[in-house]
Amino acid sequence: MEAHVAQYSARLLQQEKEIKILAAEIDRLKNFGSLEVSPSLEGLRDENTKLKYRLNVLQKSLQEERNKSVKSMININSRIQEIFRDAIKAAYPDLENPPLAVTPSQQPKFGDYQCNSAMSITKMLSKTNEQKVSPREIADNISRNIPDNKYIEKVEIAGPGFINVHLRKDFVSKQLSSLLVNGVEPPAIEIRKKVVVDFSSPNIAKEMHVGHLRSTVIGDSMCRLFEFVGYDVLRLNHLGDWGTQFGMLIAHLQDKFPDFLTVSPPIGDLQAFYKESKRRFDTEEEFKKRAYQCVVLLQSKNPDFIKAWKLICDVSRKEFQKIYDCLDIKLIERGESYYQDMMKDIVQEFEDRGFVQMDDGRKIVFVPGCSVPLTIMKSDGGFTYDTSDLAALKQRLFEEKADIIVYVVDSGQSVHLQTVYAAGQMIGWYDPAVTRVVHAAFGVVLGEDKKKFKTRSGDTVRLIELLEEGLKRSMDKLKDKERDKVLTEEELKAAQTSVAFGCIKYADLSHNRMNDYIFSFDKMLDDRGNTAAYLLYAFTRIRSIARLANIDEEMLQKAARETKILLDHEKEWKLGKCILRFPEILQKILDDLLLHTLCDYLYELATTFTEFYDNCYCVEKDRQTGTIVKVNMWRMLLCEATAAVMAKGFDILGIKPVQKM
């Protein structure tokens, strides 16, 4: 069995590599034009067409292999797009790259999905044909060419040429049953990719502050999504653990704890230790000279200085880990020091290729299209952040063999990172058509005064204090609602942690990461509106419905296999469709890396469920006695499907719901 799995894995890996190479080669050949694909291999006349044919065969083969072992939820939007792509091709075979626009309908009267391609096709045809054709005629022609399928009940043409699509209820019902039987599964992916995510990245000897919150939370959520869809994910913490600041820290360590090599120094407050050493560096000339000497000895890897460096790093690590444990963040540390031995070769490679220019003793690289050059070696022979970032990029491309590299770094680093990426392309390390290297930029955290979030004294807000304040306010909120009177001590503690950290994460993730956002405990702990508090309460309420009706997990699983989910009431239908949009939401985030879309979807799902629950009795009770008269099991299954999707959504966001709140 193990040998079979190894062969299977090797075959998949080889196919994936071939597909990447072929796709890149096809892009290169596009400039030479392409011939029509002949039905047989013998009829393929040019290299481009042969490659397309082979790529198509490989992709189908790979997908078939994956389908044998990997279950996935159907992305209905994608399937509807495929149907309309085929219909447009059949209706207008001579039209090259026709536009395809399929979106969920905003109002029930316009069906469930809408194809809006007819108007764009009209414009394209008007440029090539003298005869004018109306968008409605085009919409009608497309509709008549829709192939037989199991998804669409009917289509209607509305307005100037919109095609309204109505889904088949039996299809939606079966998909909901499949979700309940098999669990919430990811959307189908063609190729299992290797992904490197660079996030969090605090500096040694400095405390994590509120600015690190965004990178840490956003990066973790991206990793969770990539992991859910089956990618091989490397979570990297690019610590600031090297550089000239360590000279002054080690010099100060030698003065304050001269026996540090034999007795572990009791550095309780590393932030204060850093400030003391910085003050001495700025005011004491002799200390400054010694600090520079310490840097040289550290970079030459003197054992005593390496030990001093490790001691300082270890103190920071312990403090960072407290925060990562609170937020349930998993990371592999790979700081700037990891890349030190690679930097000399990086400089040599750029020199050998003729990209290096001298500027007052510095070695700089000008990158086409970028306003600021990279400094890859200082005049004293030292390396820079530019050098280490280039070394990190190359290592991730060549040693990790990453297909996708995501840098979750604030917007202020945008120019620098884009220059590093462009330099990587210029020297031939990667082709952006094959490998995706992206800066997932984010804005700053603001206080309620809409200025940069600071303490009253004007200092940066320490992240650990922020989390502690969240826990205190969360408990206050639960006690205000008298939850301490109905929950056990253990349940209350779990609810406190869930609400505190869930609300802090959600407040960040629910905003478009590109924008700044205002940090407000009052807003994030409000159980009304699009907040984690509202969603967590909604989730526990949904989970309680079956419990209060004395329906256990085993009964729900049996019903999922045997009971047809009816969707006759308009609110049942609306909820069923909303549940099944989950895969298309995830696919959109995989494309644009904007996680607020998932938050918006979860809020929509929760409010759609409330509409359903207010209008459709799941459990019918005797009005006089309150005893249960009837349980509408198909509606209980809709409750369960909603909760299952919400739970998976929370998991991707890094939020831990509780059963009782």
Side-chain angles (χ1 to χ4, degrees):
M1 179 64 181
E2 288 181 8
H4 173 73
V5 170
Q7 286 177 344
Y8 168 77
S9 300
R11 190 165 71 250
L12 274 180
L13 188 62
Q14 187 57 37
Q15 285 179 326
E16 288 173 2
K17 284 180 180 175
E18 285 195 53
I19 286 170
K20 279 181 66 179
I21 294 164
L22 288 169
E25 190 64 13
I26 285 169
D27 284 340
R28 187 180 67 77
L29 291 167
K30 276 179 182 173
N31 296 329
F32 301 101
S34 62
L35 303 176
E36 282 188 29
V37 179
S38 303
S40 65
L41 191 58
E42 290 72 30
L44 302 175
R45 293 197 185 110
D46 68 354
E47 189 183 358
N48 193 359
T49 310
K50 287 178 184 175
L51 284 167
K52 283 183 178 176
Y53 177 86
R54 195 163 163 228
L55 177 61
N56 187 44
V57 170
L58 272 169
Q59 284 178 324
K60 283 183 178 177
S61 170
L62 181 60
Q63 193 57 48
E64 284 167 8
E65 292 273 19
R66 292 212 172 280
N67 289 341
K68 289 175 188 174
S69 59
V70 180
K71 292 179 179 177
S72 60
M73 281 179 72
I74 289 176
N75 182 336
I76 297 174
N77 197 338
S78 291
R79 294 297 170 89
I80 301 297
Q81 284 186 35
E82 288 167 13
I83 288 166
F84 275 95
R85 186 180 290 112
D86 291 344
I88 292 168
K89 191 174 181 181
Y92 300 98
D94 298 329
L95 204 60
E96 197 173 324
N97 297 322
L100 184 66
V102 175
T103 56
S105 296
Q106 298 303 307
Q107 297 180 47
K109 65 180 180 180
F110 297 134
D112 306 312
Y113 286 85
Q114 198 170 65
C115 176
N116 305 329
S117 299
M119 283 71 79
S120 300
I121 291 173
T122 303
K123 291 177 183 176
M124 289 182 75
L125 290 175
S126 66
K127 292 176 183 177
T128 55
N129 297 342
E130 292 183 11
Q131 184 181 358
K132 286 192 175 181
V133 187
S134 74
R136 278 191 74 93
E137 288 179 77
I138 290 170
D140 182 60
N141 195 14
I142 293 169
S143 299
R144 282 188 277 106
N145 280 279
I146 290 174
D148 289 338
N149 64 85
K150 63 181 180 181
Y151 311 105
I152 298 174
E153 178 71 36
K154 64 176 181 176
V155 297
E156 297 169 335
I157 300 169
F162 300 114
I163 304 174
N164 296 335
V165 179
H166 296 261
L167 296 175
R168 292 170 62 108
K169 284 192 176 175
D170 61 340
F171 162 71
V172 172
S173 177
K174 285 175 184 173
Q175 292 308 304
L176 291 167
S177 296
S178 175
L179 182 156
L180 289 161
V181 171
N182 299 315
V184 180
E185 294 163 336
I189 55 168
E190 285 191 354
I191 300 173
R192 186 171 185 259
K193 296 179 179 178
K194 174 70 177 281
V195 184
V196 173
V197 183
D198 175 329
F199 69 106
S200 191
S201 309
N203 290 310
I204 294 291
K206 293 183 180 179
E207 286 189 282
M208 289 179 75
H209 54 77
V210 70
H212 293 111
L213 178 66
R214 298 212 74 181
S215 178
T216 305
V217 169
I218 294 167
D220 177 61
S221 186
M222 284 181 185
C223 289
R224 288 169 178 268
L225 175 58
F226 288 134
E227 287 158 354
F228 177 56
V229 301
Y231 289 167
D232 178 11
V233 181
L234 182 59
R235 298 158 159 261
L236 289 187
N237 196 1
H238 190 77
L239 289 179
D241 68 349
W242 200 256
T244 53
Q245 76 271 25
F246 281 95
M248 67 182 191
L249 288 166
I250 293 170
H252 190 51
L253 182 72
Q254 289 172 328
D255 291 347
K256 198 162 185 180
F257 305 103
D259 57 352
F260 72 88
L261 289 171
T262 54
V263 180
S264 184
I267 304 174
D269 188 344
L270 195 56
Q271 183 86 344
F273 187 85
Y274 179 88
K275 286 180 179 177
E276 286 171 15
S277 65
K278 182 73 170 72
R279 180 184 53 76
R280 293 186 67 191
F281 185 84
D282 292 339
T283 59
E284 301 176 25
E285 196 59 39
E286 191 60 39
F287 180 83
K288 189 174 188 176
K289 285 179 186 175
R290 195 153 55 85
Y292 280 129
Q293 289 168 358
C294 288
V295 173
V296 173
L297 288 165
L298 175 63
Q299 290 179 340
S300 64
K301 298 192 177 174
N302 178 293
D304 290 352
F305 286 80
I306 289 292
K307 182 167 184 180
W309 169 71
K310 284 181 177 176
L311 281 169
I312 294 165
C313 290
D314 285 343
V315 175
S316 272
R317 273 191 203 99
K318 287 173 186 171
E319 294 304 310
F320 297 158
Q321 197 56 48
K322 289 177 186 175
I323 288 167
Y324 295 142
D325 288 344
C326 278
L327 297 174
D328 190 27
I329 308 292
K330 303 289 188 293
L331 280 155
I332 292 172
E333 182 186 313
R334 198 175 285 176
E336 291 165 18
S337 61
Y338 182 86
Y339 306 99
Q340 289 306 302
D341 293 341
M342 306 173 196
M343 295 198 201
K344 186 178 177 183
D345 291 341
I346 293 293
V347 174
Q348 189 65 53
E349 186 174 353
F350 275 88
E351 284 184 323
D352 291 345
R353 296 288 301 278
F355 292 128
V356 174
Q357 296 181 31
M358 297 303 295
D359 179 61
D360 288 337
R362 297 181 305 146
K363 292 182 179 180
I364 63 172
V365 174
F366 283 95
V367 183
C370 299
S371 55
V372 181
L374 295 172
T375 299
I376 60 172
M377 185 177 278
K378 295 184 289 186
S379 56
D380 63 3
F383 302 118
T384 68
Y385 288 122
D386 294 349
T387 331
S388 64
D389 282 341
L390 285 167
L393 176 62
K394 186 177 183 183
Q395 191 275 337
R396 293 162 186 181
L397 289 165
F398 287 90
E399 291 183 30
E400 302 302 341
K401 294 180 169 50
D403 301 295
I404 302 172
I405 307 174
V406 183
Y407 290 73
V408 187
V409 183
D410 69 87
S411 301
Q413 297 295 315
S414 184
V415 171
H416 165 69
L417 286 173
Q418 294 307 325
T419 308
V420 170
Y421 304 160
Q425 292 171 47
M426 178 181 76
I427 203 165
W429 289 347
Y430 77 101
D431 178 353
V434 179
T435 306
R436 183 182 180 192
V437 181
V438 59
H439 176 204
F442 55 83
V444 299
V445 182
L446 304 175
E448 294 190 69
D449 58 358
K450 297 186 179 178
K451 295 178 181 176
K452 211 166 184 180
F453 197 29
K454 301 274 188 182
T455 62
R456 287 181 183 176
S457 61
D459 293 330
T460 304
V461 178
R462 297 170 68 217
L463 189 46
I464 194 72
E465 290 177 357
L466 190 81
L467 298 179
E468 287 167 357
E469 177 72 9
L471 284 169
K472 179 184 175 299
R473 290 189 182 228
S474 170
M475 182 59 81
D476 291 344
K477 187 82 173 179
L478 290 163
K479 286 181 176 178
D480 284 346
K481 291 181 168 290
E482 300 187 335
R483 305 315 295 160
D484 54 323
K485 295 179 181 177
V486 294
L487 297 175
T488 66
E489 189 176 335
E490 191 178 337
E491 288 169 344
L492 185 65
K493 180 76 175 170
Q496 176 197 22
T497 306
S498 173
V499 170
F501 301 146
C503 287
I504 289 170
K505 288 183 178 184
Y506 192 87
D508 192 312
L509 296 168
S510 61
H511 290 85
N512 186 324
R513 64 172 164 78
M514 304 294 290
N515 302 331
D516 300 340
Y517 88 96
I518 295 170
F519 191 98
S520 165
F521 272 122
D522 290 338
K523 285 181 181 176
M524 67 177 65
L525 289 167
D526 194 341
D527 54 13
R528 298 161 298 178
N530 188 6
T531 65
Y534 169 76
L535 291 174
L536 287 165
Y537 282 121
F539 178 80
T540 54
R541 182 178 142 207
I542 296 167
R543 281 291 194 217
S544 71
I545 295 167
R547 190 170 65 244
L548 296 174
N550 298 316
I551 296 170
D552 60 23
E553 185 71 26
E554 192 178 331
M555 293 165 71
L556 283 168
Q557 278 298 307
K558 186 173 185 290
R561 291 189 299 271
E562 299 173 1
T563 304
K564 182 180 179 182
I565 297 176
L566 304 177
L567 301 164
D568 298 331
H569 194 287
E570 64 171 323
K571 300 301 181 185
E572 294 171 336
W573 180 235
K574 184 178 179 181
L575 179 60
K577 290 184 298 175
C578 188
I579 291 167
L580 295 183
R581 277 185 36 232
F582 188 55
E584 63 192 68
I585 296 297
L586 298 189
Q587 185 58 60
K588 183 180 184 302
I589 301 168
L590 287 171
D591 294 338
D592 62 23
L593 302 179
L594 294 172
L595 290 152
H596 69 277
T597 307
L598 177 56
C599 299
D600 292 343
Y601 166 76
L602 290 174
Y603 180 61
E604 180 189 347
L605 181 59
T607 54
T608 302
F609 176 83
T610 300
E611 287 179 32
F612 154 79
Y613 191 70
D614 290 346
N615 287 276
C616 303
Y617 288 114
C618 297
V619 180
E620 297 181 32
K621 296 181 179 179
D622 184 285
R623 289 178 181 244
Q624 303 298 321
T625 63
T627 55
I628 296 172
V629 176
K630 183 184 178 186
V631 174
N632 295 316
M633 192 54 84
W634 79 92
R635 288 176 176 165
M636 298 300 293
L637 292 175
L638 280 169
C639 296
E640 182 65 16
T642 303
V645 168
M646 286 185 74
K648 179 47 69 178
F650 286 146
D651 183 55
I652 291 169
L653 296 174
I655 294 171
K656 289 183 176 178
V658 288
Q659 297 300 319
K660 291 184 179 181
M661 189 174 288

